[in-house]
Amino acid sequence: MTAAAEDRPSSLRIRPYTVTGGRTRSEVELGLEAMIQTTSAGRNGLASLKTELREVAELCETPQSVAEISAHLSMPLQVAKVLAGDLITGGNASSSVGATQGDGRPDIALLERVLHGLHDL
């Protein structure tokens, strides 16, 4: 969790619909296994991002799955999807689908990491 997320008192936390502007989807459809990484434009523009987007961008300097973003920042999965999608749409992050096996199925190791991350919630 980032310092900003830890410093925010739980009684003052913003409701999820406020963080996403009432949206439940972004222009980018992301699965929970999608890997998000901050772009150089995102790193250079951190100061101009609103707090929640900045937290996601800082976390994703090292690639993170949407599920990991949700877990690390203690936010609902759908909020993490919307914020990651906003970063991608704005050119501040890029995404790639997690590793797959030769037959197109998701890599078992990736699914196990996601499952462990969700259990840690």
Side-chain angles (χ1 to χ4, degrees):
M1 186 179 314
T2 65
E6 290 173 353
D7 292 341
R8 204 178 311 145
S10 60
S11 63
L12 297 177
R13 291 200 181 185
I14 299 172
R15 297 214 181 263
Y17 63 84
T18 303
V19 172
T20 64
R23 296 173 299 131
T24 59
R25 297 184 184 236
S26 72
E27 294 178 26
V28 179
E29 188 65 33
L30 297 169
L32 62 106
E33 77 284 357
M35 298 300 288
I36 311 299
Q37 183 166 19
T38 304
T39 61
S40 58
R43 283 188 293 281
N44 294 334
L46 282 176
S48 66
L49 296 174
K50 71 179 192 173
T51 303
E52 295 81 12
L53 288 173
R54 186 173 43 249
E55 289 176 354
V56 174
E58 288 172 346
L59 177 65
C60 292
E61 293 214 22
T62 303
Q64 304 285 324
S65 71
V66 173
E68 290 171 315
I69 294 168
S70 173
H72 287 297
L73 298 179
S74 300
M75 65 177 54
L77 185 58
Q78 196 60 38
V79 173
K81 284 183 176 184
V82 171
L83 294 178
D86 289 352
L87 285 172
I88 293 165
T89 301
N92 296 304
S94 62
S95 70
S96 60
V97 178
T100 59
Q101 298 177 4
D103 59 4
R105 293 182 303 160
D107 180 53
I108 297 298
L110 171 68
L111 293 176
E112 288 174 350
R113 287 195 314 271
V114 170
L115 182 60
H116 290 297
L118 292 173
H119 281 293
D120 290 343
L121 288 174

